[in-house]
Amino acid sequence: MNPVATDPLITDPPTVQPLTVEGVVPYPAEFAARYRQAGHWIGATFDELLREAVAAAPNSLAVVDGERSWTYRDLDARVGRLATVLIADHGVRRGDRVVVQLPNIAEFVVVVFALFRVGAVPLFALPAHRRSELLHFCREAEAVLIVTAERIGGFDHAALAAEVAGLVPSVRGVLLASDVDPASEGRPEAETVAVAPGDLAFLQLSGGTTGTPKLIARTHDDYLYSVRESARICRLHAGSRMLVAMPVAHNFTMSSPGILGIIAARGAIVLTTDPGPDAVLALIERHGVTIVPAVPPLILSWLNAPQRQEHDLRSLEVVQVGGAKLSRSVAERIEPAFGCRLQQVFGMAEGLVNYTRLDDDIETVLSTQGLRISADDEVRVVDETDRPVPPGTPGALLTRGPYTIRGYFRAPEHDARSFTADGFYRTGDIVVEREDGYLTVVGRSKDQINRGGEKIAPEEIENALLTHPDVHDASVVGISDEAMGERVHASVVRRARPDGTPIPLRPVDLRRHLAAVGLAVYKVPDVIALVDELPATGVGKVDRRGVAAQERNHS
């Protein structure tokens, strides 16, 4: 196994001056100097990341999408052709923002790197976004172009993009996935646009479940540091094959270590638009997949699939689980079921990423969400007055560091609430920090249930429910109650038989189970509803507010 190379992509000081973009909160000069001095920021760009991979491994497999397989040379040629079209036909220039709303298809990789090559800035919309979100993204970022597929999951995204383009003056056109790889006869490839490592590289979306997502501005310097270190920690190598079944534009699948980490390692990306167990298990076997990232609902569906034992999964080296808290009862099943290492990942698009290491003891892997990437990731665990709490005590997580933003894009009022005066980001997570720095997530500050004065963490009850052998998934929320303030409501998805019918299970069975595992009486749900599925956000996380809204409507 050859670990990913960690040599700097560029050793000379950057000569191109960063492009100033109104609304991007910069790192303070003294911190930027510190991160460069420490070797975190090496003056590289994403276009150089791809060019280095092409130079080192031109004939190696880069992207697999269905029956299409591209080498790094193939990918680079497509990127070059599209870069020409972006400049010549769409007038895209350095610093222009472009909304990219594509599913998990090979064209996503081409579009993103073609935008990097011309110095433009992708804004990553998710396939689930519709008119209100796209209007907000285009207006807020002053986008000049929308790139999308004709249809995604049966929805007419081409028509939606055309409608939004007609409503936002800055948007000059729409580029469809079917036009991403144009004929190149007689058209010389556009010259590479000089880009500064400190330039805005792209805009990601915050993970909120209500309201319009905030935009997160990332630079080449800061994000590439996260990518390189993630690839090293996850021991990616030239033989790594990553299956991407979650939305490819999500921070997890982009950089933790994600598709960018795979390119840094000269490995291969296997894309699928079908995250179901039939497709995923077959692709692992067919392509010798070595690493696959998943959110808890996805990993549960793969674990509980009867057909799992019919597939040869011996190529798997690592299953990563992140995006939401993984219950211990589910975590304990992963390594025996898949015959590989479980790696817990806890991070956020705003910056900080934590991993359990691949040589950690099993208790650490099962009981924590990992250790931060960098020694320069500053972490504070504090009480309600921002005073540090002792190790082992739950508290609110604050962080700043070489790849954690100092403010959202054009959101100063929100920044005043989300960042401390000295630049620490308020993550909204409640964690316990061990003496060695490993973190265990115990909840979200806004998710806590107040039942008659007793404070209850929903995750604790969910974890207890998931220990029942017939429970597939569970979500616990607080519902307003005149007498108690809030009552505890659990939505439970039952496991299915091989024929797809749910296994018989009654609320009384679950209450007896919770009592047997020792859950406090006041934490036992007041209401247990058996449901077919849980509502999810666009990135596959359980939408707690969606669950709560459903129950309010039914009560």
Side-chain angles (χ1 to χ4, degrees), residues 209-520:
T209 55
T210 60
T212 307
K214 298 173 290 297
L215 303 183
I216 299 167
R218 305 303 299 259
T219 70
H220 296 266
D221 257 336
D222 81 74
Y223 207 73
L224 271 169
Y225 172 58
S226 173
V227 168
R228 292 193 315 274
E229 285 302 290
S230 294
R232 180 187 63 80
I233 289 167
C234 298
R235 299 180 185 173
L236 296 188
H237 49 88
S240 293
R241 303 286 183 267
M242 175 177 285
L243 175 61
V244 181
M246 292 168 51
V248 66
H250 185 226
N251 187 63
F252 189 5
T253 41
M254 282 282 286
S255 69
S256 301
I259 64 171
L260 297 174
I262 284 289
I263 291 172
R266 295 38 158 163
I269 303 158
V270 180
L271 296 164
T272 179
T273 57
D274 183 355
D278 283 330
V280 165
L281 297 171
L283 286 169
I284 292 172
E285 180 176 18
R286 178 182 177 186
H287 296 293
V289 168
T290 62
I291 179 170
V292 57
V295 290
L298 269 187
I299 201 68
L300 271 167
S301 71
W302 304 341
L303 279 170
N304 294 338
Q307 62 270 40
R308 175 172 50 80
Q309 296 181 356
E310 302 170 7
H311 293 275
D312 183 353
L313 308 179
R314 286 176 294 177
S315 63
L316 270 178
E317 297 171 359
V318 181
V319 168
Q320 295 183 299
V321 183
K325 177 67 181 292
L326 177 66
S327 74
R328 182 178 180 121
S329 61
V330 176
E332 288 173 342
R333 296 171 57 195
I334 291 173
E335 292 196 4
F338 292 104
C340 67
R341 199 71 167 123
L342 164 65
Q343 182 175 53
Q344 295 221 40
V345 184
F346 165 52
M348 56 214 67
E350 288 83 356
L352 179 72
V353 182
N354 301 265
Y355 298 95
T356 56
R357 292 347 191 222
L358 298 180
D359 56 359
D360 279 339
D361 63 88
I362 190 62
E363 180 59 29
T364 293
V365 173
L366 295 175
S367 64
T368 81
Q369 279 65 62
L371 178 68
R372 51 195 175 270
I373 284 177
S374 174
D376 283 327
D377 281 324
E378 301 175 74
V379 166
R380 292 178 182 169
V381 182
V382 301
D383 62 16
E384 294 177 354
T385 64
D386 282 353
R387 293 178 179 175
V389 299
T393 305
L397 174 63
L398 313 182
T399 186
R400 71 180 181 189
Y403 57 96
T404 296
I405 62 170
R406 291 304 188 103
Y408 290 101
F409 184 71
R410 299 180 178 175
E413 292 184 2
H414 191 82
D415 289 348
R417 300 188 298 273
S418 298
F419 295 85
T420 65
D422 53 353
F424 278 78
Y425 171 58
R426 300 183 186 276
T427 68
D429 295 291
I430 304 299
V431 303
V432 172
E433 184 178 19
R434 295 194 327 195
E435 291 280 0
D436 59 5
Y438 277 74
L439 299 178
T440 298
V441 179
V442 297
R444 292 281 296 173
S445 58
K446 295 180 181 178
D447 288 339
Q448 198 174 57
I449 300 170
N450 188 340
R451 184 185 186 277
E454 296 285 359
K455 303 297 175 58
I456 300 170
E459 286 85 355
E460 181 184 4
I461 305 173
E462 291 166 356
N463 291 344
L465 286 166
L466 286 166
T467 62
H468 192 288
D470 295 334
V471 170
H472 171 73
D473 206 355
S475 178
V476 173
V477 296
I479 302 297
S480 180
D481 183 84
E482 288 187 8
M484 301 296 293
E486 287 184 296
R487 65 181 187 272
V488 180
H489 189 290
S491 298
V492 176
V493 181
R494 292 168 288 177
R495 292 183 69 171
R497 296 190 179 100
D499 64 2
T501 59
I503 294 174
L505 186 64
R506 300 173 301 169
V508 66
D509 300 326
L510 292 171
R511 290 195 172 90
R512 288 171 180 164
H513 175 74
L514 294 176
V517 299
L519 193 71

Side-chain angles (χ1 to χ4, degrees), residues 47-105:
D47 185 46
E48 289 156 350
L49 177 75
L50 177 60
R51 289 182 184 274
E52 289 284 330
V54 173
N59 298 316
S60 294
L61 184 64
V63 180
V64 178
D65 174 10
E67 298 306 313
R68 296 185 292 172
S69 297
W70 298 343
T71 65
Y72 276 96
R73 180 184 283 116
D74 296 333
L75 173 60
D76 187 59
R78 286 171 166 82
V79 168
R81 290 196 292 269
L82 182 58
T84 299
V85 169
L86 289 170
I87 292 173
D89 297 353
H90 295 279
V92 176
R93 298 292 181 266
R94 179 188 176 197
D96 283 348
R97 271 81 72 189
V98 174
V99 173
V100 178
Q101 186 180 37
L102 290 170
N104 290 16
I105 55 177

